Each structure stands twice: as structure tokens, then as C-alpha cells.
Amino acid sequence: MQENRPDPNRILQAVQTAENKNKGGHLYVFLGMCPGVGKTYAMLQTAHEKKKEDGVDIVVGVVETHGRKETAALLDGLEVIPAKKIPYKGKLFNEMDLEAILERRPQVVLVDELAHTNMLSSRHKKRWQDVEELLSNGIDVYTTINVQHVESLKEDVALITGISVRETVPDAIFERANQIKLIDLPAEQLLERLLDGKVYLPQNSVVAAENFFRTDKLTALRELSLRFAGDVVGGELEALQSGIAPAGHKEKFLILIYSDAATKKVIRAARKAALASNAELYGLLMDKNGLLSDREKESLLTNEELFRNMNGELITRVDADRFSAIQSVINKYGITRVLLRKSQSSLWRDLFLGGSLVTRLLKETKVDVQLLHQMGWMGVEEKNSFWRTFYLETNPSKYYRILLLLALVTIFNIVLAHYTGYFAVGFVYLLLVLFVGVFSSIVPIMFCALASALAWNFFFIPPLFTFKINKAEDWIMSVVYLFTAIVVSVLIHRIQTSRRLLRAREERNAALLKIARILSAALEIKPALQDILSQLKYLFKGEFAVVYQIIPEKLETVNSHPMGYAWTENPKEKSVGFWCMKNNLEAGWGTATLSSSEALYIPLSAAEEVVGFLSYLPQNYAQSLSAEDRNLLASVAGQIASFLLRERLKKKTEEMKRLEETQKIYNLVLNTVSHELKTPITVIKGALAVLKTGKGKNADSLDDLEGAVLNLTYEINNILDISKVSVGSEIKREWTDLQDIVYSVKDKLSLYAAKHKLVTSFQKDLPFVRINFALVESALSNLIVNAVNYTPTGGHIWVKCYVENQCVVLETCDEGPGLDDEEKKLIFNKFYRAKSTSSQKSGSGLGLFIVKSVALLHGGDAVAQDNPSGGLKIKMLFPLELQPKI
């Protein structure tokens, strides 16, 4: 028995929906059936109550009083953001100042007339887009709207009022709303307000009453607004309750998105049906850019935007067979109902277009099919899918070439007919049709089929040189030939279309795969981005640029233009790119935001973090991007964003490790300073005390004092040098003779090594080395000091310079106790002191680490070996380079 318990997936979906509404600012909608019901008045009253009772910071973004005194009176006591003056055709128009409101950042802003269309130079085309930006910045919005401006109700309102509303607001806005307050008023009271001059100005009241404000129309609009508000609120309640209700099957509706005007009606009808059934809405778009004119592409983009505004999920398929595409979507997304516009069945479509779509869906799938009768018998896309190319193939040169081929084949057939008769000639013409079909589209193919049938009849079927046919068998043969040629042409056309679409899909998939490989194998950011932009430039006609930020406050730019032209450096374009990054939304050309820009800007967003933007500068502004193109760019932008975010995290990780290492060094150096510097300081204090009292030998005290100062200087220099060799930055090098360094160090340490015999040895014609003099001098000082510390008094210390295995070697040898093999590997580690010798001499353990680090910085190495005569031999190896000209 199945356990009756809540569905966890639906609970999660309900919680996520609630969380999405709570992100950013809250939206409160005052909905009315028509102008004059008191939406603005109610909004202002609510604002005063909130300000008085809760002390909320409220400003007025835009409020239209329409000359109503009581409404204008409610503006007193509220801060009003001054309107922005926009010049247009010699006049000034007032628009809401979005930038000023964002800079002011109040808790709540009042925005009247949500469906308003902004001036062309505004940031957004529509006021509801301004509201979305306010919400995304965490500002609550109170707004007003009439039911006739709801996108999904546009046809219903047109039927009721006879007026087609142009300014609409997408239904997704209402699903985003945290609260919808219906301002209801009976039709009789509204008409009284109209006659009293409280709706419009008195001189317009009579005209309005005779047209729009009629009791029957107002009653219908009132019912429509009540039903819409009920559907929205009911859908939200059902979604919340479904999380705690037993698991059930949520309906999923599918519609087809075409490039005609009728598709808008289908989208709105489907939205209403989905809202009433609390169903998810999906739209299938068949990518057929090769068969669409520029005007139809623009219409298709409008339909796509409308569908997305209905909060639907758009699915794109590149497939020549419409039914197979629908079937794959049904299986993948679990579609329960397909909504189709009503279409007329015909023998022609059944033969050449694969039969009735409705019939195949009912027979071969398990989904319900709903026909939308009011949409007309067939949409332009469906009707023209077969005929479209008749008016696309208008290039006469194609037909001239076909006629030339037909003439040549006819001459050949005239010769052939003397040996085979006129029956066999028809097969040669059929071969011509097949040949043309390989290299051409359906219209030239059918033209060739018809022309070849006429040529066969005119030149070969008796009576000759007429189109008259006497024999019945010749009639049948001609009809069969023409029918066969047309069927073959249709089939070839389908194969050609499938092949073209498949090739386009393969090119896109190959580009995505190559981009993924570039990013996965990338060692440096800029070369990888340059390769990606080259791939995009190959697929799209235009230039690309990526502006990204790895290090805070530092923007980097990579562009595909061969001359390095970066339109993103233009102040206007740069501001569009920054807006795109800040709001994590597309902007610029081809969008509804800052559309006057010359380029398209796509945010590079991954893991809710924006790392830059991708910009596309098209060559042809009249040719819009298809849905497939936009999906591809969005996919590439996502991959680039993930790559850049990964690089940013890598930089942060390296920085953290560097900080941890620096902190570790700091702590160790601090401990070393506190312990190891005590000895020379104690000696200095003792020697000074002896000198002050005058007791003891002054010469011995001065020697002790000088030795202690040398020790102290040695430790301090090591501590300073450790910062230079730990960071791993580039060092300045110059050509140097190692003998100069040896003599310099020998002179500086003459007193320190006075009780030992320091012997130097240099190979004849010793090559120069390209090194940093100060660092190598410090390293050699550490080597000699280390040898002095562990060589008995009177012992020898050797310093040698020679060439070995393509390296210049700087070597020191001592007569100390030496080290075992394990310790030879550890003595170059930071702060390591040999166990067998650490009790004899004090030290910080930094000297040999500095020696190794200096050698590595110069591309060399440092090794420790046993001295054949006893003690330890340490070599610094520097690469032997091509010698400079002296």
C-alpha cells in the first residue's frame, strides 16, 4: 500500500518560490478594473499609513493625479523625487528618475501606472522594467495597474471593449508580487464618479461614457479582474498547499512558438489555461533560421520575449521533423497536455508533411491535445513551412542554369530517342531532377520537375511539338512522372533541410566542445579567452570582447578585433557593461534595456557571482539573434564565468597560502629574534660593562664587542633577506665576475674568520654569470659564516669557483664534523638546524635556506656533499649562459 505522505520535491519547489519572492524588494500591486476606481488614491493612503504607523522611509517616484484634487492632496507629507526632463521632438517630457531613486535608496517607492512606456532615451523601454531594477536593489515598490494591461488578458479585453491595448505588463510581474490588492468598485458608482468629473476632466467625461465607460463593459471588466486576482492568489495557495498535500501529478502544458502574429494569441490563451489549472507552461521553438526572413525573425524574437514574460520555459530544438521534436520534449519534460491552434486537414499535408499533427499525437503519445479554435485554421509558420521557399528563392540565375541544363539534356534525349523510344527519355529527365535536388532547394527542384515534364511532353510524347496527349497510357505516364518528380523533390528538400540543420547543430556542438577543451586545458587567462572569442567570431558575424575582474578593482579586457579595437572603452558602452555586471542581466542591442547601445552585453555569472561581461558587436544590426544563438552565447558566457571564477578562487587560494606562509615566517622570525639575538646582545652588554669599569683588557673586550656586532648584523641581514627570497618576485640581474663577490665577502668577514685559514681558488678564464650581486654576496656570506661556525679554530675553509656540467659553481668546504645523508637533504629547509651540531653554535637556521633560495631564483640549485678530506662541501650552481661581448 502506497504511503500517503507529502511530496518532498513539491515542498522544496514551494519553499524556493517563497524564497525567490523574499529576495530583493517586495512588490505590492494595486489592481483595478479600469481607470477611475481609486488605485492611486488607495496607494497613497497606504503609504501615509505605513509612514505614520511604522515610520517607513517612503518616497514618490511617479504619481499621475490626472487633475484630481483629492489625489493631489495626498501627496502632501510625502517626499517626491523630481521627474527627469527628457527632450523629444522639441518638447520636454517627464519620466521617473530611476537613477535618483537608486541613489536615494528609500525603503519604499511609489510608482504609478506600471504599464507606462518610457521615452526612447530611457534606460528601460517599460516602466515595469524600472520596477524590476528597483526590486533587485532591495527597494520595496507600491504600484498600480488596470486589468486591461495584463498581457494574458489582452484578447479578452479586446473582445469586451473593442479596443486592443498596446501597453501591457507580463504576467511574471504578478507572480513576483508579494501582495495584490484588488480595488473594486461597482459599475454604477464608477459612472457616478465619471459624471461628477472625478475620473477624467469634465470636458472628456461624456465622450468616455459613450465609448468605454458603459455598464455592460465595466461589469465584464470587473468580473475579469476578480477572476484574474482569484486565479493568481488561488495558484499561490495551491502551490503552498501542494507542499504539504500528498504527492500528486502536476500538469505541464506545451505550446508551439512560431513567427506569426497568431502565436501571441496562443501564448496568452495557454497562459490563462495554465494559470487556471496551476500548471507549468513550456514552449517549443523549432529553429528554422534558414527559412525565415529578417522580418519573421524579428517577430519570432517578440514572441519569445512574450512567452518568457508569461513565466514559461522556452525549449529550442533543431529538427526538421516537427513531430519527433514534440515527442522528445514530451518524454523529457513529462508534458501532460499539448495546446495547438485549430488546423484544417488536407490530403496534400497528409502526403507531404507527414500527416495531421493532432492525429499523430493522439495515436503515438499519451498526452491530451487541446485545440484553440479562436486562433484560426493554420498559423503562418505551419502554413508556410512547405511553401515558404517559393518566395525566398527569387534569384533568377538559378533558374537560368536549370533551363540551360534542361536544354542540354533535351538535346541528348533527342539523340537517345532514336534508339530507345520516348519512354526511356523520361528516366533521363528524372535523373536531371535528382541531380538538381542534390545542389538546390525545393523551389528550383520543383521548377525543374515541371519544366522537364513539359519538355518531355512537347518534344517526345506524340503528337510532337504540342502539349496535347492522345493516348491514355501517355497521360498516365506523364502524371506519374510529374507526381514522382514532385515527391522526390519534397523528400530531397527534407533531406537537405535536415542535413543543414544537423550541420549547424554539429558546428555549434563542436564549438562548445572546443571551448570547453580550451578552458579545461588553459594555463593562462588571456590566451584562452582569445581562442574562445576566435571561435565565437567564426560562428557569428561580428566582434566579441570579454571584460573580466580577477583582482578586485582591476578590469582586464580581451577582444577579437585584429587591431585591438575595444568598443567597451567608450564611456557610454562601458556604462552599459557596468550596469550588466551590477544587475546580472543582459543589456544593450537586441534587449529591452539600454537598447540604443551598439553592442550586446551578457553578464559572466557563476555561483551567484558576476566576474565580468561578454560583449557582442554585430556587423549587421538589422539581423537579430535567434533563440538558438542567444542560448549558445549564454552557454559560452556561463563556461567563461566558471573558468574566470575558478581562476579567481585559485588566486585567492594562492594569496591565502602566501599570507599563511608570511604569518608563519613572521611568527618564526619573531621567535628567532627573541632567542637568537639575545646572545650577541648579552656579549655587547658585557663588553660595554667591562669598558666602563676599566677592568680587564680593553683589546679583548673590543674584540668580543666587534664579534657580537658581526653576529648581530649577520642575523639581521638574514631576516631582511628572507623577505626577498620568499616572495619569489623578479630580481634585477647583471653580468658579474664571481671573483669580485668572493673578494668582497672575504674582506667583510676578515675579522669574523680571523682564527681560520680562508683559502680561495679560481678556474682560469672563469666565465661571467648574470646574477644579482647583493643576493649572491649575502648567500656566500652565509656559507662562509656557516663554515666558520663548524670548523675548529685554525682549520681551513676553502672557497672555489669553477665550471662543471654547464654550470658555474661557487663552492665552500670546511673541516667540520660533516652531516649524515638524511641531514644533507634537510639543511636547506627554513629554520632547520642540524641535530649533531646545533648544540655547538647558535643560529636562526635561515642561512642555508637563503643560499638555496638565491640559487633557485637564478635558475640554479644548491647541494650539500661530503668533503673528501672531512667536513662539508656546499655548492651553489649557476647556469652557464652565452657570454656578453666586452
Side-chain angles (χ1 to χ4, degrees):
M1 183 176 180
Q2 186 178 3
E3 188 176 353
N4 192 16
R5 60 181 179 178
D7 181 6
N9 293 326
R10 300 184 74 181
I11 294 175
L12 178 61
Q13 185 179 5
V15 171
Q16 289 176 341
T17 302
E19 286 181 350
N20 290 335
K21 281 194 173 186
N22 290 326
K23 286 182 179 179
H26 293 175
L27 177 63
Y28 301 89
V29 178
F30 294 81
L31 176 68
M33 63 180 181
C34 66
V37 296
K39 303 180 301 300
T40 306
Y41 191 89
M43 179 179 69
L44 291 170
Q45 276 189 325
T46 304
H48 278 285
E49 292 172 2
K50 287 287 184 181
K51 183 176 181 180
K52 182 178 180 181
E53 296 175 3
D54 303 328
V56 178
D57 179 22
I58 298 180
V59 301
V60 176
V62 58
V63 165
E64 302 290 347
T65 63
H66 295 293
R68 302 169 192 144
K69 295 180 180 179
E70 59 271 22
T71 303
L74 286 176
L75 290 174
D76 294 338
L78 295 175
E79 179 184 349
V80 179
I81 302 295
K84 182 166 54 176
K85 304 291 184 181
I86 298 181
Y88 181 70
K89 292 184 177 180
K91 296 182 180 180
L92 287 178
F93 293 87
N94 294 331
E95 288 290 1
M96 183 178 72
D97 196 339
L98 177 62
E99 293 79 6
I101 297 173
L102 291 173
E103 185 178 354
R104 169 68 170 75
R105 294 196 65 83
Q107 289 178 272
V108 179
V109 60
L110 309 184
V111 180
D112 204 7
E113 297 188 358
L114 184 62
H116 172 78
T117 300
N118 295 329
M119 299 298 295
L120 291 176
S121 59
S122 301
R123 177 182 296 182
H124 301 291
K125 288 184 178 179
K126 299 288 186 177
R127 184 169 288 171
W128 60 264
Q129 294 173 317
D130 294 338
V131 168
E132 283 190 328
E133 185 169 350
L134 291 171
L135 294 171
S136 66
N137 282 273
I139 301 174
D140 294 348
V141 177
Y142 291 179
T143 189
T144 64
I145 188 173
N146 293 320
V147 73
Q148 64 259 35
H149 296 295
V150 178
E151 181 64 56
S152 62
L153 304 179
K154 183 174 181 179
E155 272 75 33
D156 294 335
V157 172
L159 288 173
I160 294 171
T161 64
I163 300 172
S164 179
V165 179
R166 292 186 178 181
E167 294 181 325
T168 57
V169 172
D171 289 51
I173 288 289
F174 300 97
E175 294 190 6
R176 171 72 174 81
N178 297 81
Q179 182 179 344
I180 297 177
K181 186 174 182 180
L182 181 63
I183 310 301
D184 186 31
L185 191 67
E188 293 78 10
Q189 294 184 22
L190 180 59
L191 290 174
E192 291 179 4
R193 286 173 51 82
L194 177 68
L195 295 175
D196 292 339
K198 296 180 179 179
V199 177
Y200 289 109
L201 295 177
Q203 59 269 25
N204 298 326
S205 300
V206 176
V207 178
E210 291 177 352
N211 292 277
F212 187 86
F213 288 89
R214 291 168 43 184
T215 304
D216 55 341
K217 293 183 178 181
L218 294 178
T219 302
L221 287 174
R222 185 187 183 197
E223 292 178 356
L224 187 64
S225 61
L226 289 169
R227 186 170 67 247
F228 175 75
D231 287 341
V232 173
V233 176
E236 292 178 355
L237 290 175
E238 187 174 343
L240 291 172
Q241 291 173 356
S242 65
I244 56 175
H249 189 64
K250 188 177 180 66
E251 288 228 72
K252 297 181 179 181
F253 293 175
L254 176 69
I255 63 172
L256 304 182
I257 308 296
Y258 296 126
S259 61
D260 59 343
T263 295
K264 295 182 177 65
K265 298 181 180 181
V266 175
I267 294 173
R268 296 185 184 105
R271 162 64 185 175
K272 289 187 291 184
L275 188 61
S277 303
N278 189 32
E280 297 176 8
L281 185 59
Y282 295 82
L284 174 60
L285 172 64
M286 300 294 293
D287 186 17
K288 294 184 178 180
N289 279 324
L291 301 177
L292 296 179
S293 64
D294 291 340
R295 184 176 181 181
E296 287 170 324
K297 288 179 182 179
E298 193 69 31
S299 177
L300 184 61
L301 287 176
T302 303
N303 293 342
E304 292 174 28
E305 183 180 359
L306 173 63
F307 182 76
R308 288 193 176 95
N309 289 337
M310 294 294 181
N311 221 19
E313 181 175 345
L314 188 64
I315 306 165
T316 304
R317 285 288 184 272
V318 182
D319 199 326
D321 187 355
R322 181 177 51 177
F323 175 76
S324 64
I326 296 174
Q327 192 174 38
S328 68
V329 171
I330 290 173
N331 295 332
K332 181 176 180 179
Y333 293 91
I335 301 299
T336 59
R337 187 187 304 180
V338 179
L339 283 68
L340 299 173
R341 60 185 74 177
K342 183 181 178 182
S343 60
Q344 294 177 345
S345 179
S346 67
L347 177 62
W348 181 263
R349 191 183 308 114
D350 290 342
L351 289 174
F352 298 111
L353 299 181
S356 170
L357 182 60
V358 175
T359 304
R360 295 189 67 184
L361 286 172
L362 292 175
K363 285 183 177 180
E364 302 180 37
T365 67
K366 296 181 180 180
V367 300
D368 296 331
V369 178
Q370 178 179 342
L371 297 180
L372 305 175
H373 294 267
Q374 69 270 29
M375 303 309 159
W377 74 271
M378 184 185 291
V380 175
E381 173 73 17
E382 184 180 357
K383 182 168 59 179
N384 288 349
S385 61
F386 182 77
W387 300 104
R388 184 180 311 283
T389 51
F390 275 108
Y391 57 82
L392 289 181
E393 295 287 350
T394 56
N395 187 358
S397 62
K398 295 182 180 180
Y399 304 99
Y400 294 153
R401 286 194 291 267
I402 291 174
L403 291 175
L404 177 61
L405 286 173
L406 183 62
L408 294 175
V409 171
T410 301
I411 294 172
F412 174 78
N413 283 341
I414 291 173
V415 178
L416 183 65
H418 289 290
Y419 303 97
T420 62
Y422 66 89
F423 289 103
V425 170
F427 292 100
V428 179
Y429 280 123
L430 188 59
L431 287 175
L432 172 64
V433 175
L434 294 176
F435 176 78
V436 172
V438 174
F439 303 100
S440 190
S441 58
I442 185 171
V443 177
I445 296 171
M446 296 186 71
F447 173 79
C448 181
L450 182 61
S452 62
L454 294 175
W456 187 25
N457 181 11
F458 187 81
F459 291 104
F460 299 99
I461 298 177
L464 300 180
F465 308 115
T466 67
F467 293 106
K468 183 179 179 182
I469 300 177
N470 294 329
K471 297 181 181 180
E473 57 268 26
D474 290 343
W475 268 108
I476 295 173
M477 183 175 59
S478 298
V479 171
V480 169
Y481 169 81
L482 183 61
F483 181 81
T484 303
I486 291 176
V487 169
V488 169
S489 65
V490 171
L491 293 177
I492 292 176
H493 169 67
R494 283 192 170 188
I495 294 172
Q496 291 276 59
T497 302
S498 298
R499 186 173 61 182
R500 184 174 64 252
L501 295 176
L502 183 61
R503 187 186 302 116
R505 182 191 298 177
E506 288 178 349
E507 287 182 355
R508 294 176 184 276
N509 291 339
L512 287 174
L513 181 60
K514 189 169 184 179
I515 288 171
R517 288 175 177 173
I518 291 171
L519 294 177
S520 62
L523 298 177
E524 296 183 14
I525 296 177
K526 288 191 174 182
L529 293 179
Q530 195 70 54
D531 290 342
I532 291 173
L533 297 186
S534 298
Q535 290 295 314
L536 291 176
K537 188 176 180 180
Y538 170 76
L539 292 174
F540 298 86
K541 294 180 179 179
E543 301 294 338
F544 285 87
V546 172
V547 177
Y548 62 95
Q549 189 178 63
I550 298 295
I551 302 173
E553 307 300 329
K554 184 180 179 181
L555 288 174
E556 300 283 349
T557 302
V558 178
N559 66 77
S560 63
H561 197 278
M563 303 302 294
Y565 167 65
W567 58 95
T568 53
E569 296 302 318
N570 180 288
K572 178 183 176 182
E573 297 297 319
K574 185 184 292 186
S575 65
V576 180
F578 286 161
W579 187 94
C580 169
M581 287 180 61
K582 179 183 177 182
N583 295 275
N584 194 16
L585 293 171
E586 291 185 7
W589 172 79
T591 70
T593 302
L594 300 167
S595 56
S596 60
S597 171
E598 64 179 13
L600 170 65
Y601 296 85
I602 303 172
L604 301 178
S605 175
E608 298 185 355
E609 187 172 353
V610 181
V611 293
F613 59 83
L614 172 68
S615 180
Y616 168 53
L617 184 69
Q619 287 184 359
N620 183 7
Y621 289 97
Q623 186 172 0
S624 304
L625 291 175
S626 66
E628 188 70 14
D629 292 336
R630 289 183 176 273
N631 290 338
L632 178 61
L633 287 178
S635 176
V636 173
Q639 292 187 55
I640 295 175
S642 299
F643 167 68
L644 293 174
L645 185 60
R646 187 170 67 246
E647 292 297 315
R648 176 184 285 187
L649 293 176
K650 188 187 297 183
K651 290 277 187 184
K652 288 183 178 179
T653 302
E654 292 174 356
E655 185 66 24
M656 289 298 296
K657 287 182 178 179
R658 193 156 45 242
L659 290 175
E660 290 176 2
E661 183 68 16
T662 302
Q663 185 64 34
K664 184 179 179 182
I665 293 173
Y666 171 79
N667 293 333
L668 289 172
V669 168
L670 189 61
N671 292 334
T672 301
V673 169
S674 62
H675 289 85
E676 303 301 336
L677 298 187
K678 287 182 179 179
T679 300
I681 291 175
T682 302
V683 172
I684 292 172
K685 287 182 178 180
L688 290 174
V690 170
L691 291 174
K692 287 179 69 176
T693 58
K695 299 178 181 180
K697 297 181 180 180
N698 289 342
D700 292 340
S701 298
L702 288 173
D703 288 343
D704 293 340
L705 186 61
E706 191 169 8
V709 169
L710 285 173
N711 275 333
L712 187 62
T713 303
Y714 163 71
E715 295 293 348
I716 290 173
N717 286 338
N718 278 345
I719 292 170
L720 294 175
D721 289 339
I722 195 72
S723 63
K724 300 177 183 178
V725 297
S726 295
V727 173
S729 57
E730 290 292 327
I731 57 174
K732 184 179 180 180
R733 305 184 192 187
E734 55 187 13
W735 291 103
T736 307
D737 187 348
L738 284 179
Q739 296 183 61
D740 295 340
I741 293 180
V742 172
Y743 288 128
S744 174
V745 174
K746 184 178 180 181
D747 182 61
K748 290 180 180 180
L749 296 180
S750 58
L751 179 61
Y752 193 86
K755 299 179 181 180
H756 298 77
K757 297 177 181 178
L758 190 59
V759 182
T760 57
S761 173
F762 305 102
Q763 177 182 308
K764 187 178 180 181
D765 298 327
L766 184 69
F768 288 93
V769 287
R770 198 164 60 89
I771 57 175
N772 183 287
F773 190 98
L775 284 179
V776 176
E777 184 183 46
S778 174
L780 181 59
S781 298
N782 277 289
L783 288 175
I784 295 176
V785 168
N786 186 73
V788 169
N789 286 340
Y790 299 110
T791 299
T793 303
H796 289 77
I797 298 173
W798 290 271
V799 180
K800 303 177 182 179
C801 295
Y802 56 91
V803 177
E804 182 181 69
N805 297 328
Q806 296 299 311
C807 289
V808 180
V809 182
L810 177 59
E811 176 189 296
T812 61
C813 300
D814 61 48
E815 294 182 334
L819 297 173
D820 56 36
D821 292 339
E822 182 180 353
E823 286 196 310
K824 287 192 190 79
K825 300 176 183 177
L826 300 175
I827 60 171
F828 294 109
N829 291 346
K830 196 182 298 181
F831 301 106
Y832 181 81
R833 296 176 61 200
K835 298 177 183 178
S836 59
T837 60
S838 59
S839 61
Q840 300 176 15
K841 295 287 183 179
S842 64
S844 61
L846 292 175
L848 294 182
F849 169 76
I850 292 174
V851 170
K852 181 84 168 182
S853 300
V854 169
L856 292 174
L857 279 175
H858 289 85
D861 200 359
V863 295
Q865 300 174 348
D866 291 328
N867 189 8
S869 60
L872 187 66
K873 179 194 297 183
I874 298 179
K875 295 181 178 180
M876 288 186 70
L877 309 175
F878 300 99
L880 179 60
E881 301 180 59
L882 184 65
Q883 295 295 294
K885 294 181 180 180
I886 301 177

